[in-house]
Each structure stands twice: as C-alpha cells, then as structure tokens.
C-alpha cells in the first residue's frame, strides 16, 4: 500500500500550491490567478488564495491592465482583501507597468571578430593580468550574457569547461564566444590556447551548441581563431 507523502504537493495548503508549482515548473506555468494568489498570500474562510484571485480577475474581465487601475478602496471591497494585500497588488501591478515602459536594450549581434574586439577591448584589453571571458549568444548570435570565467596572472589563467557549459545552459545560449587577453601584447595563440579551444568546441557540440570564435585581445589588436581558420 502506497504511503502518504507529507511533502507531496497534494498535502500542501491550497494557498501554498502556487508557490510550489512555480518552484517545480517555473513562472510561465502559472495562470494569472495563481500568480496573483502568490502576491496576496492567503484567501478567506471560504476561498483559497487562488479562488479569491479568480474572483477578483473575473471582476475585471481577466484583464490585467484593468486590475492595475483598481484603487485601494476598490480592492479592499473584496472579502479577504485587506489594506496590506491591496497595497501588495497595487505595488505588483505598478512594477509591471514600469517594466513595460522601460526600453529593452538592444542586444549586440556578433557577426565578425571586430565586433567581439569592440565589445571586449574596453573590459580586458588594458589589464595587467590575464582574464578569460565567455560571451553567450542566442539563436540570432546576439549577446545575452557575458561572464568572466577566470582571472590569472601575467602568463595565463585556468578555465573550468564545466562552468562554461553550466552557464550556457543557465542562460539558454545556443552559441558561445571565448575571449581572453594577452597582457604581453603578443597576438599569438599558445599551444594551451589551442588545446582549450578544441576541448570547449567538442564539449559544446555535445549540447548542440556552437563555438563561434575564440578571440585573443590586446590593447591595440586581436587574434581571431575563426579568421585564422584554426577553430
């Protein structure tokens, strides 16, 4: 006979189930009512937070813009919505409004080694020590994240390939660019640079990702593995 699991979602209080669902399945899996239920936290004697949220949304024809226009006085007219919950709803909808107002920054598209140099030279081109960075790209080869993976001395750095892959998965990247600087100013790929590049290329291929380039940056110039045909 199957034993009842006290930690199963079935045993969670109704008001806690949307939180559990978000943790297990992510925010996009939740309905508007479930998201609103998380904001208000609890329902009333006769309704769970989700049921109360459904009632509030039904009142505004399930239109979130209309929800955002409700005043404090209008919100507290709903049984189970006190001043604190009403303020939470108003604050959340205001954040959503401000988010829509903000201009989404234009992502930089990587279409040449020169673009990589222009992005990274101000960051690592003039450093007295070596740093290794990875650019993570979306399906349009636009930069969605850039990260320093290691920081070393004058002669080199050590890079954990597992960390490169972990961050790629976290940011849903489809392609990556490797880049590091040579404080010496020499635009020459060392044997260790070439070996690391091939290891990363093989590793990302196993995850159906692409290694676009590996660019060595100095103060005044760069060396591109892709341009040199050694990628």
């Amino acid at each position: 006979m199957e034993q009842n699991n006290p930690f199963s979602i079935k045993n969670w209080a109704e008001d806690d189930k949307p939180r559990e669902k978000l943790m297990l399945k992510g925010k996009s899996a939740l309905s508007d009512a479930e998201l609103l239920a998380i904001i208000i936290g609890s329902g009333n004697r006769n309704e769970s937070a989700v049921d109360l949220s459904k009632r509030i949304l039904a009142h505004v024809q399930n239109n979130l813009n209309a929800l955002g226009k409700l005043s404090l006085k209008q919100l507290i007219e709903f049984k189970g919505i006190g001043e604190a919950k009403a303020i939470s709803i108003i604050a959340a909808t205001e954040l959503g409004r401000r988010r829509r107002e903000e201009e989404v920054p234009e992502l930089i598209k990587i279409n040449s080694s020169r673009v990589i140099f222009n992005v990274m030279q101000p960051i690592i081109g003039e450093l007295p020590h070596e740093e290794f960075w990875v650019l993570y790209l979306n399906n349009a080869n636009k930069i969605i994240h850039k990260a320093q993976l290691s920081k070393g001395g004058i002669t080199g750095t050590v890079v954990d390939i597992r960390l490169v892959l972990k961050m790629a998965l976290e940011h849903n990247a489809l392609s990556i660019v490797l880049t590091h600087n040579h404080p010496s100013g020499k635009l020459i790929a060392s044997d260790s640079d070439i070996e690391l590049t091939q290891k990363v290329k093989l590793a990302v291929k196993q995850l159906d990702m692409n290694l676009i380039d590996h660019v060595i940056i100095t103060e005044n110039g760069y060396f591109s593995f892709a341009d040199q045909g050694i990628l």
Side-chain angles (χ1 to χ4, degrees), residues 14-227:
E14 287 297 320
D15 290 340
D16 290 330
K17 287 184 179 179
R19 298 183 183 88
E20 173 75 353
K21 185 174 179 181
L22 188 148
M23 288 188 290
L24 293 175
K25 298 183 178 181
K27 60 187 178 182
S28 61
L30 275 67
S31 66
D32 291 346
E34 289 170 327
L35 290 170
L36 182 57
I38 292 175
I39 292 168
I40 65 176
S42 61
N44 54 47
R45 286 185 178 182
N46 302 315
E47 295 174 304
S48 69
V50 173
D51 290 333
L52 174 55
S53 297
K54 287 179 179 178
R55 184 159 60 89
I56 295 171
L57 288 170
H59 178 78
V60 293
Q61 290 75 50
N62 295 304
N63 186 300
L64 295 179
N65 285 324
L67 175 65
K69 294 176 181 178
L70 293 181
S71 66
L72 183 69
K73 183 179 178 181
Q74 289 173 315
L75 285 168
I76 60 179
E77 289 177 357
F78 291 96
K79 184 180 179 181
I81 298 296
E83 192 174 82
K85 290 180 181 178
I87 289 172
S88 293
I89 294 171
I90 291 171
T93 54
E94 177 62 14
L95 277 175
R97 186 192 67 79
R98 293 183 186 186
R99 181 185 179 188
R100 291 195 305 272
E101 278 187 348
E102 288 187 359
E103 184 177 339
V104 177
E106 181 66 29
L107 300 178
I108 298 173
K109 183 171 184 176
I110 300 300
N111 52 23
S112 70
S113 55
R114 169 59 64 174
V115 175
I116 299 169
F117 173 75
N118 290 341
V119 169
M120 293 305 302
Q121 196 281 337
I123 300 174
I124 62 175
E126 300 175 26
L127 296 177
H129 59 270
E130 189 169 308
E131 291 188 2
F132 189 95
W133 286 64
V134 179
L135 305 181
Y136 295 94
L137 316 179
N138 62 15
N139 60 348
N141 281 355
K142 292 185 177 182
I143 301 173
I144 52 178
H145 184 68
K146 51 181 178 285
Q148 179 200 90
L149 269 294
S150 69
K151 178 179 178 179
I154 296 175
T155 57
T157 60
V158 177
V159 179
D160 187 342
I161 296 177
R162 293 170 300 178
L163 184 57
V164 175
L165 300 180
K166 178 176 180 290
M167 295 192 74
L169 293 172
E170 287 177 351
H171 293 281
N172 297 315
L174 292 183
S175 300
I176 67 171
V177 171
L178 307 180
T179 178
H180 74 280
N181 62 313
H182 277 181
S184 66
K186 294 181 179 179
L187 290 174
I188 301 173
S190 67
D191 291 341
S192 60
D193 291 336
I194 296 172
E195 181 182 0
L196 173 63
T197 303
Q198 293 305 316
K199 284 182 178 179
V200 173
K201 181 180 179 180
L202 180 61
V204 298
K205 187 176 181 180
Q206 300 303 312
L207 298 177
D208 292 325
M209 299 177 190
N210 295 314
L211 175 59
I212 300 296
D213 204 346
H214 184 172
V215 177
I216 299 170
I217 307 286
T218 66
E219 182 176 357
N220 300 310
Y222 66 93
F223 177 95
S224 163
F225 281 56
D227 292 352

Side-chain angles (χ1 to χ4, degrees), residues 4-13 17:
N4 186 39
N5 179 4
F7 298 104
S8 169
I9 189 172
K10 294 179 181 178
N11 294 304
W12 280 54
K17 287 184 179 179

